[in-house]
Amino acid sequence: MESRTLSLLEFPKVLDRLAGYAASEPAAAACRVLSPMGDAARLATEQQKLAEALELRRDRAFEFTAFPDIEPLFAVLESERRVLDLDALVALSHVLSRVAALREALGREEGDSVLGGIVHRTPWAKKTQAALARCLGPDGRLKDESSPELFSVRQEIRSIHQTILAKVKEFISEREMGPLLQDDYVTISSDRYVLPLRANFKGRLPGVIHDYSQTGETIYVEPFFLVEINNRLQELKNEEREAEARVMAFLTGLARDERREVGASYRLLVDCDVLWAKAALCDAFGGTLPEIAQGRAVRLLAARHPLLALAGPDAAVAQDLELAPDQRALIVTGANAGGKTVCLKTLGLLAAMALSGLPVPAGEGSSLPFFAKIFVFLGDEQSLEDHLSTFTAQIRHLSRVWPDIDADTLVLLDEFGAGTDPSQGAALAQAVVDGLLDRGAYLAAATHFPALKAYGLSREGVRAACMLFDPATKKPLYRLAYDQVGASIALDVAREHGLPEDILERANRYLLLDGNDTGLVFDRLNDLALRREHELEALAAKRLAEEGKIQKLKDNLKKAQDKLLEEIREQSRDIVRRHEAGRLGRKEAQKALADVRKRLIDESNELTGGPGGEAAAAVFDLDAIAPGDSVQVTSWNKIGVVREKDLKRQAAKVDIGGVSLWVNVADLAPAAGKPAKAGGGTVVTHAASEAKGLGLVVDLRGMRADAAESELLAFVDNALLRGHGELEVIHGRGTGALRREVHRMLKDHPQVASFAIAPEDRGGDGMTMVTLK
């Protein structure tokens, strides 16, 4: 995409704002060079990565902190003779430690996660990271344990330090030299241990003078009895430096061997920092990820210019920028300084951002076609150096790009043709729009030409819109109204900006003499459009309020159902405990459980309107379905396919995931999704007609023992609460391991009266029939 286009749309300014959210300088630099992508598949991947980054950032799964730029280190690693210094190794360690933390946070997301897959596929410098973590301390120095030689020499250095302290203390005590010293401690000068002696006692301490204080009151003297020890200390420090150099050479060698992995890990960290910056930008202006695909309609809901959106919540007026699927052009009219150019820029800039994998300040449900090219004609294109007028510059630019315009192109025209004779300019503008539509391109144009306004209302595939203004004050409202054109109100704008009134009166007389004053008509249209916008806003607010009420009722119903279910479960548990403790006989326990089940059914019916009540009858009609239709089993929220129906019993035989069973009509509803696939994992089904003795069925095939146990226990609990006495457990034949586990669980369950292998015609040893107490 042309850099000229991105510059006119202020895309670099958006990238600068994006860079401000990056945690590191390398990521900030990467943000500033982002550009629209020409590959739809790559863009889809980038959008998926950003969607995952948004969730991870909001969940605080990983937080980025500043990390250094280690790009210069790779040149060192390419040379066999060069060694990374300590600062470079510390920087490398910091980067790899952050990558390790990122791998830990994102590595758990592998599954269907694009980011998790990228992390797992990225080569990892495991040896280098482990070695750096072992050898470098939190203070940025090499640890003593980095090598045996370093450990030994540092131990001896510390021993010498203790020896010096002891000798100095003994010397000062024996000679009573405390009053002669400026301070009662040993210090270091010229990398040797010395004593700070008062200047007026210069000759009282035999030794080598190394330095004077700035005031001249203190002399730093190395006593002769410390000379040999200091000499030995210097030898040890040389050995320490050599040992450290060997460790650094070793660490450099590891990094050199894994330089491909180091580079890949570093790039992963930078890329993820950029992703987190995009997510932060999205949260900053309350944005979304629009759906982008060939053939999608232009639909940017509540769109705002990103720079205005970032300036504050009230800085930008949201606009719906929409074209129907059969429309390709938007003609925007209205007052000067009313926001036409901002609308065009917003459309172009949001398209460029979306094609660059960035979020856009728009609402959920937004979509855009995949634009391979965007061409912009905005503002004054006059060039004194090239001796070009605005009109000539526009024509030259259009002529240059015309061969490249096709169905994947977006063209923005701001006052195109305005720099010449109005009638000829309007005709040329209409011809250009015609030519663009013939090529299948998308375009948005802002104009004051009356002919082009009429064109926007009459041409097929073109949609007209205008910027509204306040009828009382004649000031722009920066709001877009569709399927209507607006007045330019140039005289009112001139008055607002201080043009003398006598000039405005003369202009008005000329306008009346010319016979082209359509202001009253446009005022009326503006009033009607403004009234319609207010009505639409009121309807939208009312709809939101109604949706809020409905959601509140649903939430209250869910809470009531959850509370009821918990109470019923607790009563059932209490009955079971009393029965097991011998305080309640079997018949009494069964009767109590039956009463509890009846309460559950009665109160559930009261909450939901009843399975056989008017609400259910109004929702589902058994006569209206036929074998092969999809229905929903409401008790388990599963979709199945009708195989047979019995109008007399008011029941239907439904296939759910390969298991067929009879379901009462009260437990059916119109399908809201796709039928469950047979053999697709665990399928739990339910038949609501207890009167017919139909039982519950659970399919545990393919499950691990622990998962099967959890599923089976929940299944039995639900069966008890629903009042069912007969259950069917499908475990399959296989090796028999799952069947043995199921039988063990059933044998230990207190509410299971008996169980047995199903007859051959019902599944044989692949199914177990269960009878509850």
Side-chain angles (χ1 to χ4, degrees), residues 48 52 69 137 157 204 219 307 445 463 504 552 577 594 618 639 659 683 735:
Q48 179 60 35
E52 294 176 12
D69 181 2
I157 288 174
R204 300 287 298 275
I219 304 172
L307 299 178
R463 189 174 194 185
L504 295 172
K552 186 176 181 180
R577 286 194 295 266
I639 304 297
V659 178
V683 179
T735 63

Side-chain angles (χ1 to χ4, degrees), residues 693-738:
L694 300 177
L696 292 173
V697 182
V698 65
D699 190 344
L700 305 178
R701 288 174 293 182
M703 300 179 66
R704 295 170 57 90
D706 52 351
E709 180 175 8
S710 175
E711 190 76 18
L712 182 58
L713 292 177
F715 174 68
V716 173
D717 287 345
N718 280 322
L720 289 168
L721 292 175
R722 298 292 293 181
H724 288 271
E726 301 292 334
L727 310 179
E728 297 177 357
V729 181
I730 302 174
H731 42 65
R733 289 184 169 89
T735 63
L738 184 57

Side-chain angles (χ1 to χ4, degrees), residues 581-635:
R583 297 197 302 272
L584 200 64
R586 179 174 178 178
K587 290 185 177 180
E588 290 83 355
Q590 288 178 336
K591 184 178 183 304
L593 284 173
D595 292 340
V596 170
R597 294 168 194 156
K598 185 176 184 303
R599 181 196 167 195
L600 174 63
I601 294 171
D602 292 343
E603 294 195 23
S604 294
N605 291 342
E606 184 178 347
L607 286 172
T608 60
E614 294 181 3
V619 171
F620 192 81
D621 181 8
L622 189 61
D623 293 334
I625 64 170
D629 291 347
S630 295
V631 293
Q632 183 176 25
V633 182
T634 57
S635 301

